[in-house]
Amino acid sequence: LINYCATFALGMIISLYLQYIQGFSPKNAGLFLGIIPLIQSVLTPQVGRLSDRINSRNIATAGMILTTVGLTLLCFIGFETSIFYVGTGLAIIGLGLAFFVTPNTSAILKSVPSSSHGIASATLTIGRQFGGMIGLAMVTIIFSLLMGQVEITPQYYPAFLKGIKIALGISAVISFIGIFASYARGNKQNN
């Protein structure tokens, strides 16, 4: 829940940033955001094998740390930020998600008897969706408070960018809290 609360709205936030502040087309913004799932899809199988052999708590916690670092880097984006900097932040988040999601899912499923895997999986999905919903609601409230119901035009770009920074800052704090939640899960092998 915490991880998805911190990261779910990231695609919307950065997509809008790339389009309005960096001048990307919607298509190119979407392609650029592909950095995260590309890194996840390449690394997740290896991380899954690794988490089967060593303590998944440490791997998932490392993933939360990387995610927090990536979100923190993105808190500092502005009008003149290089695309390389934004891409680096996204790549670190992709790396963090690759290290977090599979070991976390594995630990959850291993914590219940195999007869309860369906219930555990459904509960995990509810946590993901609810976390994402909280994250999106947070971003919506921030933009609503800072900008009201105006269209995003150049005169509102400073308020828009301020909203992005606040949303990313809150996401980084939430992700930071997630580091401790991930680490607190226990210290058993393959836990």
Side-chain angles (χ1 to χ4, degrees):
L1 183 127
I2 293 171
N3 182 276
Y4 282 88
C5 182
T7 60
F8 197 80
L10 184 67
M12 180 188 78
I13 294 169
I14 299 300
S15 173
L16 293 173
Y17 169 80
L18 291 171
Q19 291 175 65
Y20 288 106
I21 306 300
Q22 294 285 348
F24 278 44
S25 69
K27 174 185 169 187
N28 288 339
L31 289 172
F32 192 80
L33 285 169
I35 291 170
I36 293 174
L38 178 65
I39 290 173
Q40 278 186 271
S41 64
V42 168
L43 292 179
T44 296
Q46 289 81 13
V47 173
R49 283 191 285 280
L50 181 64
S51 73
D52 286 339
R53 292 194 318 266
I54 65 172
N55 190 316
S56 62
R57 174 186 80 160
N58 295 334
I59 299 169
T61 301
M64 286 301 299
I65 291 168
L66 287 166
T67 301
T68 302
V69 168
L71 288 166
T72 302
L73 285 175
L74 292 178
C75 289
F76 298 101
I77 60 176
F79 290 106
E80 303 299 324
T81 303
S82 75
I83 291 306
F84 178 77
Y85 182 90
V86 177
T88 300
L90 293 176
I92 293 170
I93 292 168
L95 188 62
L97 291 173
F99 273 80
F100 176 78
V101 174
T102 300
N104 187 63
T105 302
S106 177
I108 289 169
L109 292 176
K110 288 177 182 177
S111 71
V112 299
S114 60
S115 61
S116 297
H117 279 180
I119 294 168
S121 179
T123 303
L124 180 61
T125 300
I126 290 169
R128 287 178 182 154
Q129 295 301 318
F130 190 62
M133 185 177 67
I134 292 169
L136 285 172
M138 172 194 68
V139 170
T140 302
I141 290 167
I142 290 167
F143 284 126
S144 178
L145 291 173
L146 288 175
M147 298 180 61
Q149 297 182 4
V150 298
E151 183 178 340
I152 303 172
T153 59
Q155 93 183 70
Y156 295 107
Y157 285 0
F160 176 65
L161 188 56
K162 182 179 180 181
I164 289 173
K165 289 180 175 198
I166 290 170
L168 289 169
I170 293 171
S171 293
V173 168
I174 292 168
S175 185
F176 182 74
I177 293 167
I179 293 169
F180 300 99
S182 179
Y183 192 75
R185 77 176 76 220
N187 197 22
K188 295 190 307 189
Q189 180 67 17
N190 288 327
N191 169 336

